[in-house]
Amino acid sequence: MTSPKPKTIQTMKPETAAKKLGVLLSATPAEFQAGVVSRGELNELQSTPPAWLADLRRNGPHPKQVVAAKLGVSISGLTRGGITGPLTTAEIDALKAENPAWLERERSIQAETRKEALRLKQR
Protein backbone atom coordinates (compact mmCIF):
# COMPACT_ATOMS: atom_id res chain seq x y z
CA MET A 1 0.00 0.00 0.00
CA THR A 2 1.12 3.51 -0.66
CA SER A 3 0.67 6.22 1.88
CA PRO A 4 -1.32 9.28 0.85
CA LYS A 5 0.81 12.22 -0.22
CA PRO A 6 0.63 15.28 1.96
CA LYS A 7 -1.46 17.99 0.38
CA THR A 8 0.69 20.69 -1.17
CA ILE A 9 -0.32 24.31 -1.09
CA GLN A 10 -0.87 25.85 -4.51
CA THR A 11 0.93 29.15 -4.88
CA MET A 12 1.22 31.70 -7.66
CA LYS A 13 3.38 34.64 -8.55
CA PRO A 14 2.14 38.10 -7.59
CA GLU A 15 1.70 38.93 -11.31
CA THR A 16 -0.74 36.04 -11.72
CA ALA A 17 -2.64 36.92 -8.55
CA ALA A 18 -2.92 40.58 -9.59
CA LYS A 19 -4.29 39.54 -12.98
CA LYS A 20 -6.85 37.24 -11.34
CA LEU A 21 -7.86 40.08 -9.01
CA GLY A 22 -8.16 42.51 -11.95
CA VAL A 23 -5.65 45.03 -10.60
CA LEU A 24 -2.38 46.49 -11.81
CA LEU A 25 0.55 44.82 -10.02
CA SER A 26 2.60 48.02 -9.81
CA ALA A 27 -0.24 49.70 -7.88
CA THR A 28 -0.43 46.99 -5.21
CA PRO A 29 1.38 47.24 -1.85
CA ALA A 30 5.06 46.23 -1.75
CA GLU A 31 4.40 43.21 0.48
CA PHE A 32 1.93 41.86 -2.10
CA GLN A 33 4.45 42.37 -4.93
CA ALA A 34 7.29 40.73 -3.02
CA GLY A 35 5.65 37.49 -1.88
CA VAL A 36 3.85 34.52 -3.33
CA VAL A 37 0.08 34.13 -3.03
CA SER A 38 -1.55 30.85 -2.11
CA ARG A 39 -4.87 29.76 -3.56
CA GLY A 40 -6.44 30.23 -0.12
CA GLU A 41 -5.08 33.75 0.19
CA LEU A 42 -6.39 34.60 -3.29
CA ASN A 43 -9.84 33.28 -2.37
CA GLU A 44 -9.75 35.34 0.82
CA LEU A 45 -8.75 38.48 -1.11
CA GLN A 46 -11.62 37.89 -3.55
CA SER A 47 -14.26 37.23 -0.92
CA THR A 48 -13.29 39.93 1.58
CA PRO A 49 -11.02 42.43 -0.16
CA PRO A 50 -8.84 44.64 2.05
CA ALA A 51 -9.14 48.43 1.75
CA TRP A 52 -6.23 48.74 -0.72
CA LEU A 53 -7.79 46.19 -3.08
CA ALA A 54 -11.26 47.72 -2.89
CA ASP A 55 -9.75 51.15 -3.61
CA LEU A 56 -7.76 49.85 -6.59
CA ARG A 57 -10.82 48.14 -8.05
CA ARG A 58 -12.92 51.27 -7.56
CA ASN A 59 -10.47 54.00 -8.67
CA GLY A 60 -7.67 52.30 -10.57
CA PRO A 61 -5.26 52.47 -12.21
CA HIS A 62 -6.80 49.57 -14.12
CA PRO A 63 -4.93 47.08 -16.32
CA LYS A 64 -5.75 47.01 -20.03
CA GLN A 65 -8.15 44.03 -19.81
CA VAL A 66 -10.26 45.90 -17.23
CA VAL A 67 -10.09 49.16 -19.22
CA ALA A 68 -11.24 47.31 -22.34
CA ALA A 69 -14.14 45.69 -20.49
CA LYS A 70 -15.25 49.00 -18.94
CA LEU A 71 -15.20 50.68 -22.35
CA GLY A 72 -16.86 47.75 -24.12
CA VAL A 73 -14.03 47.18 -26.60
CA SER A 74 -11.30 44.62 -27.19
CA ILE A 75 -7.72 45.01 -26.00
CA SER A 76 -6.70 45.32 -29.67
CA GLY A 77 -9.29 48.07 -30.05
CA LEU A 78 -7.67 49.96 -27.20
CA THR A 79 -4.33 49.77 -28.96
CA ARG A 80 -5.84 50.93 -32.26
CA GLY A 81 -7.39 53.83 -30.34
CA GLY A 82 -4.00 54.83 -28.96
CA ILE A 83 -4.56 53.63 -25.39
CA THR A 84 -1.46 51.67 -24.41
CA GLY A 85 -1.20 52.15 -20.64
CA PRO A 86 -3.38 51.76 -17.59
CA LEU A 87 -6.20 54.23 -16.96
CA THR A 88 -7.97 55.37 -13.80
CA THR A 89 -11.73 55.21 -13.39
CA ALA A 90 -11.92 59.00 -13.86
CA GLU A 91 -10.02 58.75 -17.16
CA ILE A 92 -12.30 55.94 -18.35
CA ASP A 93 -15.39 57.98 -17.43
CA ALA A 94 -13.97 61.00 -19.29
CA LEU A 95 -13.41 58.85 -22.39
CA LYS A 96 -16.98 57.54 -22.20
CA ALA A 97 -18.32 61.09 -21.89
CA GLU A 98 -16.16 62.33 -24.78
CA ASN A 99 -17.05 59.26 -26.90
CA PRO A 100 -14.40 59.75 -29.60
CA ALA A 101 -14.92 58.28 -33.08
CA TRP A 102 -12.44 55.45 -32.48
CA LEU A 103 -14.39 54.35 -29.38
CA GLU A 104 -17.70 54.26 -31.27
CA ARG A 105 -16.07 52.29 -34.10
CA GLU A 106 -14.44 49.78 -31.73
CA ARG A 107 -17.68 49.31 -29.78
CA SER A 108 -19.54 48.50 -33.00
CA ILE A 109 -16.79 46.05 -34.03
CA GLN A 110 -17.04 44.40 -30.61
CA ALA A 111 -20.85 44.18 -30.87
CA GLU A 112 -20.59 42.54 -34.31
CA THR A 113 -17.98 40.09 -33.00
CA ARG A 114 -20.25 39.11 -30.11
CA LYS A 115 -23.24 38.68 -32.44
CA GLU A 116 -21.21 36.45 -34.74
CA ALA A 117 -19.92 34.38 -31.83
CA LEU A 118 -23.48 33.91 -30.55
CA ARG A 119 -24.70 32.94 -34.04
CA LEU A 120 -21.94 30.34 -34.38
CA LYS A 121 -22.66 28.98 -30.90
CA GLN A 122 -26.34 28.48 -31.73
CA ARG A 123 -25.59 26.40 -34.85
Side-chain angles (χ1 to χ4, degrees):
M1 259 199 213
T2 60
S3 60
K5 292 183 180 178
K7 195 164 190 159
T8 58
I9 297 175
Q10 260 188 321
T11 60
M12 62 191 82
K13 294 178 183 176
E15 297 89 2
T16 305
K19 189 172 184 175
K20 289 180 181 284
L21 292 170
V23 296
L24 196 63
L25 178 64
S26 61
T28 61
E31 58 271 8
F32 181 85
Q33 293 178 33
V36 294
V37 180
S38 71
R39 174 61 66 186
E41 291 169 337
L42 179 70
N43 291 340
E44 181 69 25
L45 286 170
Q46 288 174 325
S47 63
T48 54
W52 64 265
L53 180 56
D55 185 51
L56 275 178
R57 286 179 168 169
R58 184 175 38 257
N59 301 319
H62 303 289
K64 61 185 170 190
Q65 66 268 20
V66 174
V67 173
K70 287 180 178 267
L71 290 174
V73 299
S74 66
I75 294 173
S76 300
L78 280 180
T79 304
R80 287 190 294 267
I83 307 295
T84 57
L87 297 178
T88 63
T89 301
E91 292 168 327
I92 293 169
D93 291 342
L95 259 176
K96 285 180 179 178
E98 184 184 324
N99 201 19
W102 72 265
L103 183 57
E104 280 187 46
R105 183 176 58 254
E106 292 301 332
R107 281 180 171 168
S108 67
I109 290 170
Q110 187 73 354
E112 287 299 318
T113 303
R114 287 185 180 138
K115 268 198 249 181
E116 181 65 12
L118 183 61
R119 184 186 72 77
L120 291 174
K121 187 177 178 181
Q122 291 175 344
R123 287 175 88 184

